[in-house]
Amino acid sequence: MLCITLEIQGNVSRFHCSTFRKECQAHIKFSTSEDGQYLIVKSINEQHNHGLSKVAFDHLPHQRKLDSQQKEEIKELLSLKANKKLLQNHLQNSLGRVVLLKDLHNIATARSTNELSELEATVKELKEIPGAIVEIVVSEENVLNGIFFQDKEMRLTYQQYPEILFIDATYKLNDLRMPLYLMIVEDGNGESVVVGVFVLASEDATSIAQMAKIFKRNNSRWSETVTIMADKDFTERQVFKAEFPDAKILICLFHVLRTFRRELTCDKMGVTASQRLEILSIVEEMAYARSHQRYGELYAKLVENGPENVVTYFNKNWHNIKEEWVYAHKNCGVTFQNQTNNRVECINQKLKDVIAKYSNLQLFFRNLLLVLESLRTEQSHRAISILQKVPAMPFEVGSVQHQYGQILTPYALEKVIHELNIGAKENQSQINQDLQISANDCNCHFRRSMKLPCHHIFCFRRQYSRSLFCPDLCAVRWTLEYYRINNNVLSDHEIEFHAGAFGINVTKPKPITSQFQKFKKANLIAQKLASIVSESSMSEFNSKIEVLELLVQEWGSGRAVALSTSNPAETQETESINLQRKSVPGTNNTTAGTASVPGTNNTTAGTATVPGTNNTTAGCVDSNKDGSHASAKEKTVVIVETSDCAIAVSEVCDAENSTPAVSVDCSKITMTPDKFTDLSNIHLPSKLKKRGRPKGLEQTVVGLPKKKKCDTPVPFKKIHPKDRDRCKFISCRTSANFTSALFTVMLSWFVSPSDTNEAVYGKKLGSKSVTSDTRLIPNSCLDETVNILHIKDYFAYDGWAAVMKAFQSKYSQKDWYCGVCDLQLTKSNSIRCDSCLNRDHLLCAGLNTYPKKNKWFCGRCKK
């Protein structure tokens, strides 16, 4: 037996490296007896050259070591985001040994010796899901472009409810800069269900079109999708217009207002702040316009009052697509009254609660599937409650409401009952005469968007003595029978799908010829560049901005710029980015002149030929101070631009070979080369660093100042007696400007608002100012918590006498009148507001019984 500190093994060359081995000579040596039955101590040395302590012994690595089963249990707990400190305390108490936070971290991040690559492990987990479709999209350079995933449940749901599709992306959930796109539908009970998932390395038109084609190929009813809700992004809208030619593409209202806020700025449009607010107010009203006529009026107002460049921008980008974002135009089709992509945003929020920012690809998909499974469990439970429970409807058996309740889902029934209540209050003369109404159809927004009977149809059928209950008025998707048959939990049949599949698709590059396509590609790269720069610290941000400003200056002057990145192992001087610039002659000249940026090393010249010209321009390769070229590991990107806009791009690796850059506009082809079948050879995009992001301003989506929320009503009895007659401000908006009116609560009970203002500013009110009609005096003054002596100082002698006379007359009558219907009431059938002290009938207050809360506030005080 040897002491563990016996000797040093290995070479220790680093200053901070340490070891437990101290060449301790303590030992006990044994040998066997001649008969082999016993151990004989040959020598013993009990002298240690270090301290002996049980606590120190317990902290040694071999004493803290855990077995494989314990490690697996700990890893599972850590995957559930257990608190490491609480877990550490639990393990120490249960195992009776020291466990460090470092040990837990090592267990969580440990990789098995036979572990697959990140992409291989991810695909392997996805393929193990029964009936799942997993398709990988890679470029010809074998770089990952996207992953599409859809399981059997998703396909089944889309098969039953294909009418409307919601599509949107969320960002920064994985460390590969790949946004997550969700495709969602609305089922028969108004639930949001995910029917497709894909991630993209680049949000260009080709990549999105690739995913749309994969979705269509695996879902046969894609042609029945009549509405797609997306954002204002030009790429997405154009792609889905091309891939779903029969569908109407709508723009999410939130994205519409946000785009207005970003584009209609003082700098971009050359308007003043007040003009901008007025323009934003007009376009916001346009988005919410309920009729074509109202939109036309607002458009005419914008053209008349708005600056020319604002009108030009609006006409070019918004007026010609008004059917995609204006309420009156959007609801002409099947939208189920959806105006935004909030259904997707709601699920995105749930994803972010579980998926940590910048997760690796495998953990990202694992947690994504976990959230989707949780959502399905909750939706299945609600479905079982609907289909298995007997609803206790507060309607008479045989009534119209009860009959519709027997055939419709709760979500659809609520809509129909609302329309029945509106129709009961209307007559035919109050209905808009522009509508085309019959007993079975109507062209109003509700009927066309929901495919349910509207109040116009109910009014028409009531006038002509037709039955209000007609099952044919309701679309099949809203019926309980359809919901039961097609629900995954209780359905008694199963739709046959082809088995799950895995495939790899390769995007083939195609040269870009048009200027617009070049701009789109450059814009995508510029967006990524802006994202990388914004995620830097302030010191790095300032230096990177200086480099970008120099690049813009040089390119704007028609000079070529070369960027050279050095090996990180080089000295600090060579770690900076070198920019060389040079003028390019017009014809048949060779230029080798360079100009280096201060603080960087000079470089030597290479050559790159510009296609389409006879010029030969000099590229640049970084050199060390002694004049030798950079190491072979160095990578140099040379970008040469001439005055006639001819561009040559070359990438110099190992300071020798160059590969011409190509612009990618890919069209999907099925992968056949053998080199793509090995997932370990597919390169992933660069990972994203974790950075913070500042909070936004206190503005609405469109950019207008947020309206402050009204304070919660305060019970009158909790207001201090000195505060009950103090002044409050009310903003009164006029056509010209905003003015402020002053009034006191108790003073306003007896005098007019104009007299209240004069009293507040010091004028003593006489008897002529006091109202003599006791019906105009609110019941609040009779409440036991009121002391009208607090307002005595505002009146002259005769004025106060008039107040007391009116108060006594009101008190002698003791007549209380409802604040809503103005009919006399009693305490038995009324309820008092604890803020304004007025009384209302229970039914007028929207109540059936008295609330259980100690405080109740009427709708007037809440507003």
Side-chain angles (χ1 to χ4, degrees):
M1 294 176 61
L2 301 178
C3 178
I4 62 171
T5 60
L6 178 63
E7 59 182 354
I8 299 178
Q9 295 182 351
N11 246 340
V12 181
S13 59
R14 292 182 297 174
F15 176 75
H16 294 290
C17 186
S18 61
T19 178
F20 282 107
R21 301 182 183 276
K22 299 181 179 179
E23 300 184 359
C24 180
Q25 300 301 319
H27 68 274
I28 302 177
K29 293 185 178 180
F30 298 89
S31 66
T32 59
S33 60
E34 293 181 358
D35 57 2
Q37 298 297 318
Y38 306 99
L39 292 175
I40 302 175
V41 178
K42 288 294 186 181
S43 65
I44 182 172
N45 184 357
E46 297 182 353
Q47 300 298 320
H48 295 266
N49 62 355
H50 53 85
L52 300 178
S53 168
K54 183 179 184 306
V55 176
F57 180 75
D58 291 338
H59 279 262
L60 294 177
H62 74 280
Q63 288 298 110
R64 305 195 321 266
K65 188 175 181 181
L66 302 170
D67 59 38
S68 58
Q69 181 179 357
Q70 292 169 339
K71 288 182 179 180
E72 289 299 323
E73 293 176 356
I74 293 173
K75 197 166 187 177
E76 183 177 357
L77 290 173
L78 291 175
S79 67
L80 298 176
K81 298 185 178 180
N83 185 285
K84 288 186 178 180
K85 295 181 179 61
L86 296 179
L87 180 58
Q88 178 192 32
N89 182 68
H90 168 72
L91 293 173
Q92 290 185 153
N93 294 334
S94 60
L95 301 178
R97 64 178 66 182
V98 175
V99 179
L100 303 181
L101 295 177
K102 179 179 70 173
D103 299 332
L104 300 180
H105 175 75
N106 291 340
I107 292 173
T109 58
R111 297 169 62 103
S112 59
T113 55
N114 60 348
E115 187 173 356
L116 302 173
S117 68
E118 188 174 337
L119 180 59
E120 287 178 300
T122 302
V123 172
K124 181 181 178 182
E125 288 189 9
L126 296 178
K127 287 167 60 179
E128 290 176 353
I129 300 174
I133 293 175
V134 184
E135 296 209 25
I136 309 298
V137 180
V138 297
S139 65
E140 279 205 339
E141 291 77 19
N142 214 18
V143 177
L144 178 67
N145 281 350
I147 303 174
F148 178 89
F149 173 78
Q150 190 182 41
D151 62 15
K152 185 177 180 180
E153 298 289 331
M154 296 179 182
R155 285 182 286 164
L156 177 62
T157 303
Y158 182 76
Q159 193 83 351
Q160 309 306 332
Y161 303 101
E163 295 90 345
I164 184 169
L165 195 61
F166 302 86
I167 303 172
D168 202 4
T170 186
Y171 299 84
K172 296 193 176 182
L173 288 181
N174 58 72
D175 57 1
L176 298 177
R177 301 176 183 268
M178 301 178 74
L180 168 67
Y181 278 83
L182 296 180
M183 308 177 80
I184 291 176
V185 298
E186 180 180 350
D187 71 1
N189 194 43
E191 299 268 7
S192 302
V193 186
V194 178
V195 296
V197 172
F198 60 89
V199 292
L200 293 176
S202 177
E203 295 182 274
D204 57 7
T206 305
S207 300
I208 297 176
Q210 183 94 342
M211 294 302 172
K213 289 184 171 103
I214 296 174
F215 179 81
K216 289 165 55 180
R217 186 169 66 247
N218 293 288
N219 297 273
S220 58
R221 297 189 66 182
W222 65 267
S223 58
E224 298 180 33
T225 298
V226 296
T227 304
I228 296 178
M229 182 74 71
D231 61 15
K232 181 61 171 68
D233 185 82
F234 178 81
T235 302
E236 292 180 27
R237 290 174 56 246
Q238 294 303 318
V239 167
F240 284 105
K241 278 183 179 179
E243 297 297 330
F244 293 81
D246 297 331
K248 183 178 180 181
I249 311 298
L250 303 183
I251 306 174
C252 170
L253 180 61
F254 172 83
H255 291 93
V256 170
L257 299 179
R258 188 181 64 176
T259 305
F260 284 150
R261 181 192 66 192
R262 293 177 176 178
E263 297 299 327
L264 299 177
T265 62
C266 299
D267 295 335
K268 292 182 178 180
M269 296 299 169
V271 295
T272 63
S274 60
Q275 285 178 315
R276 178 177 180 268
L277 291 178
E278 183 180 1
I279 293 169
L280 289 176
S281 177
I282 294 174
V283 296
E284 184 181 26
E285 288 187 57
M286 284 183 173
Y288 288 101
R290 295 275 175 166
S291 65
H292 300 248
Q293 180 181 2
R294 178 58 180 164
Y295 175 82
E297 294 172 355
L298 292 169
Y299 176 72
K301 182 179 179 181
L302 177 67
V303 173
E304 181 180 355
N305 301 328
E308 182 179 354
N309 52 348
V310 173
V311 176
T312 302
Y313 162 79
F314 187 83
N315 288 336
K316 180 180 179 181
N317 297 280
W318 296 98
H319 184 59
N320 56 346
I321 59 167
K322 56 182 178 292
E323 66 279 355
E324 298 181 11
W325 61 278
V326 178
Y327 178 89
H329 294 274
K330 287 168 66 174
N331 281 329
C332 292
V334 179
T335 63
F336 305 137
Q337 292 191 312
N338 291 283
Q339 302 299 319
T340 66
N341 249 342
N342 285 347
R343 291 181 178 273
V344 186
E345 298 295 343
C346 180
I347 295 181
N348 286 341
Q349 185 269 332
K350 292 178 174 62
L351 292 175
K352 292 178 180 178
D353 287 342
V354 177
I355 305 175
K357 277 190 175 182
Y358 316 119
S359 301
N360 63 61
L361 190 62
Q362 184 179 6
L363 182 60
F364 162 74
F365 269 102
R366 187 179 299 167
N367 288 335
L368 170 64
L369 296 178
L370 185 150
V371 176
L372 296 180
E373 185 62 29
S374 175
L375 292 175
R376 285 175 182 170
T377 302
E378 296 300 317
Q379 290 169 355
S380 298
H381 177 75
R382 289 191 290 269
I384 291 173
S385 299
I386 293 171
L387 299 173
Q388 298 292 82
K389 287 185 175 181
V390 178
M393 292 184 291
F395 309 114
E396 295 181 4
V397 177
S399 64
V400 178
Q401 294 88 340
H402 185 269
Q403 288 177 307
Y404 277 112
Q406 297 298 314
I407 66 168
L408 297 179
T409 60
Y411 177 79
L413 177 62
E414 183 180 352
K415 301 285 186 182
V416 172
I417 290 178
H418 179 71
E419 294 298 308
L420 277 169
N421 294 337
I422 297 176
K425 300 176 183 178
E426 277 190 345
N427 53 51
Q428 194 68 22
S429 60
Q430 295 175 317
I431 297 177
N432 186 356
Q433 300 301 320
D434 296 334
L435 296 176
Q436 300 176 5
I437 308 170
S438 67
N440 298 318
D441 200 8
C442 178
N443 63 343
C444 69
H445 293 159
F446 178 84
R447 174 63 179 170
R448 285 190 286 185
S449 65
M450 286 296 298
K451 299 301 179 183
L452 288 170
C454 61
H455 63 276
H456 305 118
I457 294 178
F458 288 134
C459 184
F460 184 91
R461 297 177 74 92
R462 183 182 292 107
Q463 182 180 3
Y464 291 95
S465 301
R466 303 282 292 274
S467 174
L468 298 183
F469 175 69
C470 180
D472 295 337
L473 296 176
C474 306
V476 177
R477 74 181 327 270
W478 300 117
T479 61
L480 278 171
E481 183 63 19
Y482 188 83
Y483 187 67
R484 184 193 65 80
I485 293 175
N486 298 300
N487 191 274
N488 302 337
V489 181
L490 300 175
S491 60
D492 53 6
H493 76 287
E494 185 175 356
I495 297 178
E496 292 294 331
F497 289 107
H498 59 80
F502 168 71
I504 301 179
N505 301 309
V506 183
T507 53
K508 177 180 284 188
K510 184 174 63 177
I512 293 179
T513 56
S514 69
Q515 181 180 359
F516 177 70
Q517 290 174 317
K518 293 177 183 177
F519 174 83
K520 286 177 61 178
K521 181 173 177 62
N523 188 43
L524 289 173
I525 297 175
Q527 289 178 0
K528 293 182 180 179
L529 184 63
S531 176
I532 294 172
V533 172
S534 65
E535 293 160 2
S536 306
S537 62
M538 280 306 300
S539 58
E540 295 177 351
F541 173 79
N542 293 330
S543 62
K544 290 177 180 178
I545 287 295
E546 292 178 0
V547 173
L548 292 178
E549 289 176 346
L550 178 60
L551 185 63
V552 172
Q553 178 182 351
E554 296 304 310
W555 276 357
S557 302
R559 290 188 287 267
V561 177
L563 302 181
S564 189
T565 59
S566 60
N567 192 334
E570 299 295 333
T571 60
Q572 179 66 28
E573 293 181 356
T574 60
E575 287 178 355
S576 59
I577 296 179
N578 299 330
L579 285 83
Q580 290 92 19
R581 61 188 182 185
K582 51 190 171 294
S583 300
V584 181
T587 56
N588 297 327
N589 291 325
T590 303
T591 306
T594 63
S596 61
V597 179
T600 63
N601 297 328
N602 294 334
T603 60
T604 59
T607 61
T609 304
V610 180
T613 65
N614 295 325
N615 300 330
T616 302
T617 58
C620 304
V621 179
D622 195 19
S623 301
N624 298 326
K625 287 184 177 181
D626 58 1
S628 61
H629 290 289
S631 64
K633 294 181 180 180
E634 184 168 299
K635 183 178 181 180
T636 304
V637 179
V638 182
I639 306 175
V640 181
E641 182 172 329
T642 63
S643 57
D644 59 355
C645 297
I647 299 177
V649 181
S650 64
E651 179 172 298
V652 183
C653 298
D654 300 336
E656 295 178 0
N657 301 325
S658 63
T659 304
V662 293
S663 302
V664 180
D665 184 13
C666 310
S667 58
K668 184 182 73 65
I669 61 172
T670 302
M671 186 278 305
T672 53
D674 294 338
K675 66 176 182 177
F676 290 114
T677 58
D678 188 1
L679 293 176
S680 60
N681 293 330
I682 297 178
H683 306 292
L684 301 179
S686 59
K687 295 194 174 182
L688 179 68
K689 293 183 179 180
K690 297 182 180 180
R691 299 290 184 184
R693 176 169 288 188
K695 302 295 182 183
L697 299 176
E698 292 297 322
Q699 295 178 338
T700 60
V701 179
V702 75
L704 297 173
K706 283 186 177 179
K707 296 179 181 178
K708 293 184 178 180
K709 295 183 179 179
C710 298
D711 296 335
T712 304
V714 180
F716 190 87
K717 64 181 180 180
K718 290 189 176 182
I719 303 176
H720 193 275
K722 293 183 179 180
D723 297 333
R724 293 178 184 174
D725 62 328
R726 290 187 179 177
C727 299
K728 294 185 178 180
F729 288 86
I730 294 182
S731 295
C732 303
R733 183 169 184 174
T734 63
S735 58
N737 54 11
F738 292 90
T739 60
S740 294
L742 293 168
F743 77 108
T744 59
V745 177
M746 296 172 62
L747 190 62
S748 62
W749 293 344
F750 299 95
V751 299
S752 64
S754 59
D755 291 330
T756 302
N757 286 329
E758 294 179 358
V760 168
Y761 287 112
K763 180 182 178 180
K764 297 290 185 179
L765 300 178
S767 59
K768 294 183 179 180
S769 301
V770 180
T771 180
S772 58
D773 189 357
T774 56
R775 288 291 302 272
L776 299 179
I777 301 175
N779 301 327
S780 307
C781 65
L782 302 179
D783 195 88
E784 57 187 8
T785 59
V786 173
N787 185 358
I788 63 171
L789 293 177
H790 285 289
I791 59 174
K792 181 178 180 181
D793 294 339
Y794 291 106
F795 295 91
Y797 179 79
D798 61 328
W800 180 245
V803 170
M804 292 302 298
K805 180 179 178 181
F807 176 76
Q808 291 174 359
S809 176
K810 185 75 174 178
Y811 185 78
S812 62
Q813 297 176 2
K814 290 188 178 180
D815 292 333
W816 292 76
Y817 296 91
C818 177
V820 178
C821 64
D822 201 29
L823 298 178
Q824 192 172 357
L825 46 78
T826 61
K827 287 187 176 181
S828 61
N829 65 347
S830 64
I831 185 171
R832 185 195 68 170
C833 175
D834 287 290
S835 179
C836 65
L837 305 180
N838 281 318
R839 284 187 172 272
D840 298 330
H841 287 108
L842 280 175
L843 294 179
C844 293
L847 301 174
N848 293 324
T849 59
Y850 288 97
K852 296 181 180 180
K853 297 181 180 179
N854 295 329
K855 295 179 293 184
W856 178 82
F857 303 105
C858 64
R860 298 179 295 273
C861 293
K862 289 181 180 179
K863 292 180 181 180

